[in-house]
Amino acid sequence: MKVDDDLARQVITPRLRESHKGSYGRVLLVGGLYPYGGAIIMAAIACVNSGAGLVTVATDRENITALHAHLPEAMAFDLRETERFLENLRAADVVLIGSGLGEDGVAGQAMDLVLANIRANQNLVVDGSALNLLAKKTKKDLPDCHLTLTPHQKEWERLSDLRIPEQTVSNTQKALGEFQAGTILVAKSHKTAVYQGETVAHLEVGGPYQATGGMGDTLAGMITGFLAQFASIDSYKAVTVAVWLHSAIADDLTKNAYVVLPTHISKAIPSWMKKLSL
């Protein structure tokens, strides 16, 4: 599949005049446990700037003030509040777990709660340390839902048992076939590709100027925001366009910057989406 601005225009369509915030998806982001609070903040900033209608963050209570200082548009609560967690999980169209989550006992409990309660009609995006938690489980533990995985090469090695030199297109497609049908894989590397079944899209944008902390968190937030709005059009295309736009913006910013910061990508998302929607 060719990924360019023509594909992006198929996904990023003009908004209907008769719509409201609920029309653009309810999102729950889970992560940012100490000392990784910034990760979930960057994911939330990207998600809101991507156009998700209602964004709620489950994080460390101590992280909420910092989150609201950067992003008053998002709601937030203490990840340890189980009943509130379940209430927001059940109400969400898309759930992202893993940005700054860590792998301690609290992180494991949050992961188990999501896996046990996510429903078939919901989208689940698994990123960062949540991928390592998922790798410790068997395939039968995977939830029946619309699943998107966003591993870098070492995380995919843990999930698939494919060593990095073995991560060819055919081997990756075969390993992905062990997950439930329809699972989307964003295989992150210097040659990022997006898989679903026999379909694979190779990205021709991006570069080493993106090699900085928080880049993956921002990408995960964009993917989540795009799924919240555009999954009804085509979830695979929505994810693929989010990945493309993340790097296309970086390509543009690097014309005047040696290093592209994740938060600078987020600031540019609304104007790029506007241009593509026209």
Side-chain angles (χ1 to χ4, degrees), residues 21-22 25-30 40-41 44-45 48 52-59 63-65 67-68 71-78 84 87-88 91:
K21 58 191 176 185
R26 294 175 180 268
V27 171
L28 175 64
L29 309 179
V30 184
I40 201 68
I41 293 174
I45 291 170
V48 169
L54 288 161
V55 176
T56 302
V57 180
T59 188
N63 199 36
I64 294 174
T65 299
L67 169 67
H68 282 160
L71 190 71
E73 294 86 353
M75 298 167 282
F77 65 91
D78 188 343
R84 194 183 300 274
E87 178 185 344
N88 281 273

PDB file of all heavy atoms in Angstrom, residues 21-22 25-30 40-41 44-45 48 52-59 63-65 67-68 71-78 84 87-88 91:
ATOM      1  N   LYS A  21     -18.574  16.912  20.646  1.00  0.00           N
ATOM      2  CA  LYS A  21     -17.355  16.236  21.098  1.00  0.00           C
ATOM      3  C   LYS A  21     -17.516  14.720  21.180  1.00  0.00           C
ATOM      4  O   LYS A  21     -16.569  13.969  20.923  1.00  0.00           O
ATOM      5  CB  LYS A  21     -16.896  16.803  22.441  1.00  0.00           C
ATOM      6  CG  LYS A  21     -17.924  16.696  23.567  1.00  0.00           C
ATOM      7  CD  LYS A  21     -17.489  17.513  24.769  1.00  0.00           C
ATOM      8  CE  LYS A  21     -18.569  17.493  25.866  1.00  0.00           C
ATOM      9  NZ  LYS A  21     -18.205  18.375  26.994  1.00  0.00           N
ATOM     10  N   GLY A  22     -18.724  14.266  21.493  1.00  0.00           N
ATOM     11  CA  GLY A  22     -18.950  12.824  21.535  1.00  0.00           C
ATOM     12  C   GLY A  22     -18.875  12.163  20.178  1.00  0.00           C
ATOM     13  O   GLY A  22     -18.684  10.941  20.080  1.00  0.00           O
ATOM     14  N   GLY A  25     -15.133  10.567  19.446  1.00  0.00           N
ATOM     15  CA  GLY A  25     -14.532   9.488  20.204  1.00  0.00           C
ATOM     16  C   GLY A  25     -14.207   9.797  21.651  1.00  0.00           C
ATOM     17  O   GLY A  25     -13.747  10.884  21.986  1.00  0.00           O
ATOM     18  N   ARG A  26     -14.449   8.810  22.482  1.00  0.00           N
ATOM     19  CA  ARG A  26     -14.049   8.849  23.893  1.00  0.00           C
ATOM     20  C   ARG A  26     -12.807   7.986  24.058  1.00  0.00           C
ATOM     21  O   ARG A  26     -12.788   6.828  23.635  1.00  0.00           O
ATOM     22  CB  ARG A  26     -15.175   8.320  24.794  1.00  0.00           C
ATOM     23  CG  ARG A  26     -16.417   9.192  24.802  1.00  0.00           C
ATOM     24  CD  ARG A  26     -17.516   8.547  25.622  1.00  0.00           C
ATOM     25  NE  ARG A  26     -18.714   9.375  25.645  1.00  0.00           N
ATOM     26  CZ  ARG A  26     -18.998  10.286  26.564  1.00  0.00           C
ATOM     27  NH1 ARG A  26     -18.135  10.475  27.572  1.00  0.00           N
ATOM     28  NH2 ARG A  26     -20.097  10.990  26.510  1.00  0.00           N
ATOM     29  N   VAL A  27     -11.795   8.554  24.672  1.00  0.00           N
ATOM     30  CA  VAL A  27     -10.488   7.892  24.775  1.00  0.00           C
ATOM     31  C   VAL A  27     -10.062   7.785  26.231  1.00  0.00           C
ATOM     32  O   VAL A  27     -10.255   8.725  27.013  1.00  0.00           O
ATOM     33  CB  VAL A  27      -9.421   8.690  23.981  1.00  0.00           C
ATOM     34  CG1 VAL A  27      -8.025   8.147  24.251  1.00  0.00           C
ATOM     35  CG2 VAL A  27      -9.727   8.657  22.485  1.00  0.00           C
ATOM     36  N   LEU A  28      -9.482   6.654  26.593  1.00  0.00           N
ATOM     37  CA  LEU A  28      -8.842   6.485  27.898  1.00  0.00           C
ATOM     38  C   LEU A  28      -7.382   6.156  27.667  1.00  0.00           C
ATOM     39  O   LEU A  28      -7.048   5.198  26.962  1.00  0.00           O
ATOM     40  CB  LEU A  28      -9.503   5.353  28.691  1.00  0.00           C
ATOM     41  CG  LEU A  28      -8.833   5.014  30.033  1.00  0.00           C
ATOM     42  CD1 LEU A  28      -8.912   6.197  30.999  1.00  0.00           C
ATOM     43  CD2 LEU A  28      -9.456   3.762  30.662  1.00  0.00           C
ATOM     44  N   LEU A  29      -6.494   6.974  28.240  1.00  0.00           N
ATOM     45  CA  LEU A  29      -5.054   6.750  28.170  1.00  0.00           C
ATOM     46  C   LEU A  29      -4.565   6.292  29.539  1.00  0.00           C
ATOM     47  O   LEU A  29      -4.872   6.930  30.555  1.00  0.00           O
ATOM     48  CB  LEU A  29      -4.328   8.040  27.777  1.00  0.00           C
ATOM     49  CG  LEU A  29      -4.829   8.789  26.535  1.00  0.00           C
ATOM     50  CD1 LEU A  29      -3.998  10.048  26.311  1.00  0.00           C
ATOM     51  CD2 LEU A  29      -4.778   7.900  25.309  1.00  0.00           C
ATOM     52  N   VAL A  30      -3.783   5.222  29.576  1.00  0.00           N
ATOM     53  CA  VAL A  30      -3.353   4.628  30.841  1.00  0.00           C
ATOM     54  C   VAL A  30      -1.825   4.584  30.886  1.00  0.00           C
ATOM     55  O   VAL A  30      -1.187   3.948  30.036  1.00  0.00           O
ATOM     56  CB  VAL A  30      -3.918   3.199  31.012  1.00  0.00           C
ATOM     57  CG1 VAL A  30      -3.524   2.644  32.381  1.00  0.00           C
ATOM     58  CG2 VAL A  30      -5.425   3.183  30.820  1.00  0.00           C
ATOM     59  N   ILE A  40       2.981   9.899  29.387  1.00  0.00           N
ATOM     60  CA  ILE A  40       1.532   9.925  29.179  1.00  0.00           C
ATOM     61  C   ILE A  40       1.059  11.347  28.880  1.00  0.00           C
ATOM     62  O   ILE A  40       0.064  11.540  28.162  1.00  0.00           O
ATOM     63  CB  ILE A  40       0.784   9.332  30.400  1.00  0.00           C
ATOM     64  CG1 ILE A  40      -0.636   8.886  30.008  1.00  0.00           C
ATOM     65  CG2 ILE A  40       0.730  10.298  31.562  1.00  0.00           C
ATOM     66  CD1 ILE A  40      -0.669   7.706  29.070  1.00  0.00           C
ATOM     67  N   ILE A  41       1.763  12.354  29.391  1.00  0.00           N
ATOM     68  CA  ILE A  41       1.412  13.741  29.059  1.00  0.00           C
ATOM     69  C   ILE A  41       1.624  13.986  27.572  1.00  0.00           C
ATOM     70  O   ILE A  41       0.756  14.573  26.902  1.00  0.00           O
ATOM     71  CB  ILE A  41       2.230  14.732  29.910  1.00  0.00           C
ATOM     72  CG1 ILE A  41       1.832  14.625  31.384  1.00  0.00           C
ATOM     73  CG2 ILE A  41       2.037  16.166  29.413  1.00  0.00           C
ATOM     74  CD1 ILE A  41       2.688  15.457  32.324  1.00  0.00           C
ATOM     75  N   ALA A  44      -1.089  12.245  25.622  1.00  0.00           N
ATOM     76  CA  ALA A  44      -2.366  12.951  25.735  1.00  0.00           C
ATOM     77  C   ALA A  44      -2.377  14.219  24.879  1.00  0.00           C
ATOM     78  O   ALA A  44      -3.382  14.538  24.227  1.00  0.00           O
ATOM     79  CB  ALA A  44      -2.643  13.293  27.196  1.00  0.00           C
ATOM     80  N   ILE A  45      -1.268  14.955  24.874  1.00  0.00           N
ATOM     81  CA  ILE A  45      -1.184  16.164  24.040  1.00  0.00           C
ATOM     82  C   ILE A  45      -1.374  15.804  22.575  1.00  0.00           C
ATOM     83  O   ILE A  45      -2.124  16.464  21.836  1.00  0.00           O
ATOM     84  CB  ILE A  45       0.170  16.874  24.258  1.00  0.00           C
ATOM     85  CG1 ILE A  45       0.228  17.483  25.668  1.00  0.00           C
ATOM     86  CG2 ILE A  45       0.390  17.958  23.212  1.00  0.00           C
ATOM     87  CD1 ILE A  45       1.603  17.997  26.055  1.00  0.00           C
ATOM     88  N   VAL A  48      -5.162  14.770  21.915  1.00  0.00           N
ATOM     89  CA  VAL A  48      -6.067  15.916  21.859  1.00  0.00           C
ATOM     90  C   VAL A  48      -5.834  16.716  20.580  1.00  0.00           C
ATOM     91  O   VAL A  48      -6.778  17.110  19.885  1.00  0.00           O
ATOM     92  CB  VAL A  48      -5.890  16.805  23.107  1.00  0.00           C
ATOM     93  CG1 VAL A  48      -6.618  18.137  22.938  1.00  0.00           C
ATOM     94  CG2 VAL A  48      -6.416  16.083  24.349  1.00  0.00           C
ATOM     95  N   ALA A  52      -9.271  13.925  18.981  1.00  0.00           N
ATOM     96  CA  ALA A  52     -10.152  13.076  19.777  1.00  0.00           C
ATOM     97  C   ALA A  52     -11.110  13.941  20.591  1.00  0.00           C
ATOM     98  O   ALA A  52     -10.714  14.962  21.149  1.00  0.00           O
ATOM     99  CB  ALA A  52      -9.331  12.179  20.703  1.00  0.00           C
ATOM    100  N   GLY A  53     -12.359  13.523  20.666  1.00  0.00           N
ATOM    101  CA  GLY A  53     -13.383  14.375  21.274  1.00  0.00           C
ATOM    102  C   GLY A  53     -13.278  14.516  22.775  1.00  0.00           C
ATOM    103  O   GLY A  53     -13.371  15.616  23.321  1.00  0.00           O
ATOM    104  N   LEU A  54     -13.127  13.404  23.480  1.00  0.00           N
ATOM    105  CA  LEU A  54     -13.060  13.402  24.944  1.00  0.00           C
ATOM    106  C   LEU A  54     -11.895  12.515  25.372  1.00  0.00           C
ATOM    107  O   LEU A  54     -11.906  11.303  25.106  1.00  0.00           O
ATOM    108  CB  LEU A  54     -14.368  12.874  25.540  1.00  0.00           C
ATOM    109  CG  LEU A  54     -15.572  13.813  25.429  1.00  0.00           C
ATOM    110  CD1 LEU A  54     -16.860  13.035  25.613  1.00  0.00           C
ATOM    111  CD2 LEU A  54     -15.468  14.920  26.470  1.00  0.00           C
ATOM    112  N   VAL A  55     -10.929  13.099  26.037  1.00  0.00           N
ATOM    113  CA  VAL A  55      -9.713  12.370  26.426  1.00  0.00           C
ATOM    114  C   VAL A  55      -9.597  12.349  27.945  1.00  0.00           C
ATOM    115  O   VAL A  55      -9.615  13.399  28.600  1.00  0.00           O
ATOM    116  CB  VAL A  55      -8.455  13.013  25.817  1.00  0.00           C
ATOM    117  CG1 VAL A  55      -7.194  12.301  26.306  1.00  0.00           C
ATOM    118  CG2 VAL A  55      -8.534  12.976  24.286  1.00  0.00           C
ATOM    119  N   THR A  56      -9.489  11.151  28.504  1.00  0.00           N
ATOM    120  CA  THR A  56      -9.310  10.970  29.940  1.00  0.00           C
ATOM    121  C   THR A  56      -8.035  10.183  30.185  1.00  0.00           C
ATOM    122  O   THR A  56      -7.737   9.236  29.445  1.00  0.00           O
ATOM    123  CB  THR A  56     -10.511  10.213  30.553  1.00  0.00           C
ATOM    124  OG1 THR A  56     -11.710  10.945  30.285  1.00  0.00           O
ATOM    125  CG2 THR A  56     -10.350  10.064  32.056  1.00  0.00           C
ATOM    126  N   VAL A  57      -7.287  10.572  31.207  1.00  0.00           N
ATOM    127  CA  VAL A  57      -5.995   9.955  31.504  1.00  0.00           C
ATOM    128  C   VAL A  57      -6.027   9.310  32.885  1.00  0.00           C
ATOM    129  O   VAL A  57      -6.400   9.955  33.872  1.00  0.00           O
ATOM    130  CB  VAL A  57      -4.862  11.005  31.455  1.00  0.00           C
ATOM    131  CG1 VAL A  57      -3.518  10.348  31.762  1.00  0.00           C
ATOM    132  CG2 VAL A  57      -4.827  11.684  30.088  1.00  0.00           C
ATOM    133  N   ALA A  58      -5.641   8.040  32.943  1.00  0.00           N
ATOM    134  CA  ALA A  58      -5.453   7.341  34.213  1.00  0.00           C
ATOM    135  C   ALA A  58      -3.957   7.302  34.483  1.00  0.00           C
ATOM    136  O   ALA A  58      -3.197   6.685  33.729  1.00  0.00           O
ATOM    137  CB  ALA A  58      -6.019   5.928  34.133  1.00  0.00           C
ATOM    138  N   THR A  59      -3.517   7.963  35.547  1.00  0.00           N
ATOM    139  CA  THR A  59      -2.088   8.115  35.797  1.00  0.00           C
ATOM    140  C   THR A  59      -1.841   8.217  37.301  1.00  0.00           C
ATOM    141  O   THR A  59      -2.769   8.098  38.108  1.00  0.00           O
ATOM    142  CB  THR A  59      -1.555   9.358  35.052  1.00  0.00           C
ATOM    143  OG1 THR A  59      -0.122   9.396  35.155  1.00  0.00           O
ATOM    144  CG2 THR A  59      -2.147  10.643  35.573  1.00  0.00           C
ATOM    145  N   ASN A  63       0.923  13.101  39.172  1.00  0.00           N
ATOM    146  CA  ASN A  63       1.183  13.538  37.802  1.00  0.00           C
ATOM    147  C   ASN A  63       0.057  14.406  37.243  1.00  0.00           C
ATOM    148  O   ASN A  63       0.216  15.036  36.198  1.00  0.00           O
ATOM    149  CB  ASN A  63       1.378  12.306  36.895  1.00  0.00           C
ATOM    150  CG  ASN A  63       2.076  12.621  35.595  1.00  0.00           C
ATOM    151  OD1 ASN A  63       2.970  13.462  35.547  1.00  0.00           O
ATOM    152  ND2 ASN A  63       1.692  11.947  34.525  1.00  0.00           N
ATOM    153  N   ILE A  64      -1.074  14.439  37.921  1.00  0.00           N
ATOM    154  CA  ILE A  64      -2.257  15.110  37.370  1.00  0.00           C
ATOM    155  C   ILE A  64      -2.059  16.623  37.266  1.00  0.00           C
ATOM    156  O   ILE A  64      -2.455  17.244  36.277  1.00  0.00           O
ATOM    157  CB  ILE A  64      -3.510  14.758  38.200  1.00  0.00           C
ATOM    158  CG1 ILE A  64      -3.816  13.260  38.029  1.00  0.00           C
ATOM    159  CG2 ILE A  64      -4.698  15.602  37.772  1.00  0.00           C
ATOM    160  CD1 ILE A  64      -4.950  12.750  38.901  1.00  0.00           C
ATOM    161  N   THR A  65      -1.440  17.233  38.271  1.00  0.00           N
ATOM    162  CA  THR A  65      -1.218  18.688  38.223  1.00  0.00           C
ATOM    163  C   THR A  65      -0.350  19.063  37.031  1.00  0.00           C
ATOM    164  O   THR A  65      -0.651  20.020  36.305  1.00  0.00           O
ATOM    165  CB  THR A  65      -0.564  19.179  39.524  1.00  0.00           C
ATOM    166  OG1 THR A  65      -1.426  18.886  40.627  1.00  0.00           O
ATOM    167  CG2 THR A  65      -0.311  20.671  39.471  1.00  0.00           C
ATOM    168  N   LEU A  67       0.015  17.332  34.275  1.00  0.00           N
ATOM    169  CA  LEU A  67      -0.777  17.078  33.071  1.00  0.00           C
ATOM    170  C   LEU A  67      -1.702  18.244  32.770  1.00  0.00           C
ATOM    171  O   LEU A  67      -1.759  18.746  31.637  1.00  0.00           O
ATOM    172  CB  LEU A  67      -1.592  15.792  33.249  1.00  0.00           C
ATOM    173  CG  LEU A  67      -2.668  15.517  32.203  1.00  0.00           C
ATOM    174  CD1 LEU A  67      -2.050  15.241  30.842  1.00  0.00           C
ATOM    175  CD2 LEU A  67      -3.549  14.355  32.627  1.00  0.00           C
ATOM    176  N   HIS A  68      -2.423  18.716  33.776  1.00  0.00           N
ATOM    177  CA  HIS A  68      -3.374  19.808  33.559  1.00  0.00           C
ATOM    178  C   HIS A  68      -2.675  21.133  33.260  1.00  0.00           C
ATOM    179  O   HIS A  68      -3.246  21.987  32.565  1.00  0.00           O
ATOM    180  CB  HIS A  68      -4.294  19.940  34.772  1.00  0.00           C
ATOM    181  CG  HIS A  68      -5.378  18.908  34.786  1.00  0.00           C
ATOM    182  ND1 HIS A  68      -6.060  18.556  35.933  1.00  0.00           N
ATOM    183  CD2 HIS A  68      -5.907  18.148  33.784  1.00  0.00           C
ATOM    184  CE1 HIS A  68      -6.952  17.630  35.639  1.00  0.00           C
ATOM    185  NE2 HIS A  68      -6.872  17.365  34.350  1.00  0.00           N
ATOM    186  N   LEU A  71      -2.086  20.544  29.634  1.00  0.00           N
ATOM    187  CA  LEU A  71      -3.232  20.150  28.817  1.00  0.00           C
ATOM    188  C   LEU A  71      -4.525  20.194  29.635  1.00  0.00           C
ATOM    189  O   LEU A  71      -5.025  19.158  30.076  1.00  0.00           O
ATOM    190  CB  LEU A  71      -3.003  18.730  28.267  1.00  0.00           C
ATOM    191  CG  LEU A  71      -3.966  18.237  27.198  1.00  0.00           C
ATOM    192  CD1 LEU A  71      -3.746  18.969  25.874  1.00  0.00           C
ATOM    193  CD2 LEU A  71      -3.796  16.731  26.989  1.00  0.00           C
ATOM    194  N   PRO A  72      -5.093  21.371  29.822  1.00  0.00           N
ATOM    195  CA  PRO A  72      -6.344  21.448  30.590  1.00  0.00           C
ATOM    196  C   PRO A  72      -7.519  20.791  29.868  1.00  0.00           C
ATOM    197  O   PRO A  72      -8.554  20.531  30.496  1.00  0.00           O
ATOM    198  CB  PRO A  72      -6.565  22.957  30.742  1.00  0.00           C
ATOM    199  CG  PRO A  72      -5.796  23.583  29.624  1.00  0.00           C
ATOM    200  CD  PRO A  72      -4.599  22.701  29.426  1.00  0.00           C
ATOM    201  N   GLU A  73      -7.356  20.497  28.577  1.00  0.00           N
ATOM    202  CA  GLU A  73      -8.455  19.880  27.821  1.00  0.00           C
ATOM    203  C   GLU A  73      -8.709  18.430  28.215  1.00  0.00           C
ATOM    204  O   GLU A  73      -9.781  17.877  27.927  1.00  0.00           O
ATOM    205  CB  GLU A  73      -8.155  19.943  26.313  1.00  0.00           C
ATOM    206  CG  GLU A  73      -8.132  21.339  25.723  1.00  0.00           C
ATOM    207  CD  GLU A  73      -6.790  22.029  25.841  1.00  0.00           C
ATOM    208  OE1 GLU A  73      -5.877  21.480  26.509  1.00  0.00           O
ATOM    209  OE2 GLU A  73      -6.640  23.126  25.274  1.00  0.00           O
ATOM    210  N   ALA A  74      -7.745  17.778  28.845  1.00  0.00           N
ATOM    211  CA  ALA A  74      -7.899  16.372  29.220  1.00  0.00           C
ATOM    212  C   ALA A  74      -8.405  16.249  30.656  1.00  0.00           C
ATOM    213  O   ALA A  74      -8.062  17.045  31.524  1.00  0.00           O
ATOM    214  CB  ALA A  74      -6.579  15.634  29.083  1.00  0.00           C
ATOM    215  N   MET A  75      -9.214  15.234  30.897  1.00  0.00           N
ATOM    216  CA  MET A  75      -9.616  14.860  32.253  1.00  0.00           C
ATOM    217  C   MET A  75      -8.604  13.854  32.794  1.00  0.00           C
ATOM    218  O   MET A  75      -7.894  13.207  32.017  1.00  0.00           O
ATOM    219  CB  MET A  75     -11.018  14.259  32.236  1.00  0.00           C
ATOM    220  CG  MET A  75     -12.086  15.238  31.746  1.00  0.00           C
ATOM    221  SD  MET A  75     -13.667  14.460  31.363  1.00  0.00           S
ATOM    222  CE  MET A  75     -13.310  13.751  29.756  1.00  0.00           C
ATOM    223  N   ALA A  76      -8.529  13.709  34.102  1.00  0.00           N
ATOM    224  CA  ALA A  76      -7.543  12.794  34.673  1.00  0.00           C
ATOM    225  C   ALA A  76      -7.997  12.295  36.034  1.00  0.00           C
ATOM    226  O   ALA A  76      -8.742  12.977  36.752  1.00  0.00           O
ATOM    227  CB  ALA A  76      -6.189  13.494  34.802  1.00  0.00           C
ATOM    228  N   PHE A  77      -7.535  11.095  36.370  1.00  0.00           N
ATOM    229  CA  PHE A  77      -7.818  10.528  37.692  1.00  0.00           C
ATOM    230  C   PHE A  77      -6.687   9.587  38.091  1.00  0.00           C
ATOM    231  O   PHE A  77      -5.857   9.190  37.255  1.00  0.00           O
ATOM    232  CB  PHE A  77      -9.170   9.803  37.713  1.00  0.00           C
ATOM    233  CG  PHE A  77      -9.234   8.582  36.830  1.00  0.00           C
ATOM    234  CD1 PHE A  77      -8.908   7.322  37.310  1.00  0.00           C
ATOM    235  CD2 PHE A  77      -9.635   8.692  35.500  1.00  0.00           C
ATOM    236  CE1 PHE A  77      -8.972   6.199  36.497  1.00  0.00           C
ATOM    237  CE2 PHE A  77      -9.696   7.582  34.670  1.00  0.00           C
ATOM    238  CZ  PHE A  77      -9.368   6.330  35.174  1.00  0.00           C
ATOM    239  N   ASP A  78      -6.661   9.235  39.376  1.00  0.00           N
ATOM    240  CA  ASP A  78      -5.640   8.342  39.917  1.00  0.00           C
ATOM    241  C   ASP A  78      -5.855   6.931  39.374  1.00  0.00           C
ATOM    242  O   ASP A  78      -6.934   6.351  39.532  1.00  0.00           O
ATOM    243  CB  ASP A  78      -5.730   8.344  41.441  1.00  0.00           C
ATOM    244  CG  ASP A  78      -4.587   7.588  42.103  1.00  0.00           C
ATOM    245  OD1 ASP A  78      -3.903   6.805  41.428  1.00  0.00           O
ATOM    246  OD2 ASP A  78      -4.380   7.790  43.318  1.00  0.00           O
ATOM    247  N   ARG A  84     -13.442   3.914  39.326  1.00  0.00           N
ATOM    248  CA  ARG A  84     -13.393   4.983  38.329  1.00  0.00           C
ATOM    249  C   ARG A  84     -12.682   4.485  37.060  1.00  0.00           C
ATOM    250  O   ARG A  84     -13.072   4.839  35.941  1.00  0.00           O
ATOM    251  CB  ARG A  84     -12.682   6.212  38.892  1.00  0.00           C
ATOM    252  CG  ARG A  84     -12.901   7.480  38.042  1.00  0.00           C
ATOM    253  CD  ARG A  84     -12.115   8.648  38.602  1.00  0.00           C
ATOM    254  NE  ARG A  84     -12.481   8.983  39.958  1.00  0.00           N
ATOM    255  CZ  ARG A  84     -13.486   9.801  40.275  1.00  0.00           C
ATOM    256  NH1 ARG A  84     -14.220  10.356  39.317  1.00  0.00           N
ATOM    257  NH2 ARG A  84     -13.746  10.073  41.537  1.00  0.00           N
ATOM    258  N   GLU A  87     -15.160   2.369  35.160  1.00  0.00           N
ATOM    259  CA  GLU A  87     -16.195   3.219  34.579  1.00  0.00           C
ATOM    260  C   GLU A  87     -15.701   3.881  33.292  1.00  0.00           C
ATOM    261  O   GLU A  87     -16.407   3.893  32.271  1.00  0.00           O
ATOM    262  CB  GLU A  87     -16.609   4.292  35.598  1.00  0.00           C
ATOM    263  CG  GLU A  87     -17.644   5.276  35.092  1.00  0.00           C
ATOM    264  CD  GLU A  87     -17.917   6.371  36.101  1.00  0.00           C
ATOM    265  OE1 GLU A  87     -17.540   6.214  37.288  1.00  0.00           O
ATOM    266  OE2 GLU A  87     -18.507   7.402  35.716  1.00  0.00           O
ATOM    267  N   ASN A  88     -14.497   4.424  33.327  1.00  0.00           N
ATOM    268  CA  ASN A  88     -13.946   5.090  32.154  1.00  0.00           C
ATOM    269  C   ASN A  88     -13.538   4.096  31.070  1.00  0.00           C
ATOM    270  O   ASN A  88     -13.664   4.383  29.878  1.00  0.00           O
ATOM    271  CB  ASN A  88     -12.758   5.960  32.555  1.00  0.00           C
ATOM    272  CG  ASN A  88     -13.180   7.277  33.156  1.00  0.00           C
ATOM    273  OD1 ASN A  88     -13.417   8.256  32.457  1.00  0.00           O
ATOM    274  ND2 ASN A  88     -13.290   7.314  34.487  1.00  0.00           N
ATOM    275  N   ALA A  91     -16.608   3.108  29.131  1.00  0.00           N
ATOM    276  CA  ALA A  91     -17.178   4.192  28.331  1.00  0.00           C
ATOM    277  C   ALA A  91     -16.336   4.536  27.109  1.00  0.00           C
ATOM    278  O   ALA A  91     -16.809   5.225  26.201  1.00  0.00           O
ATOM    279  CB  ALA A  91     -17.338   5.439  29.194  1.00  0.00           C
TER     280      ALA A  91
END
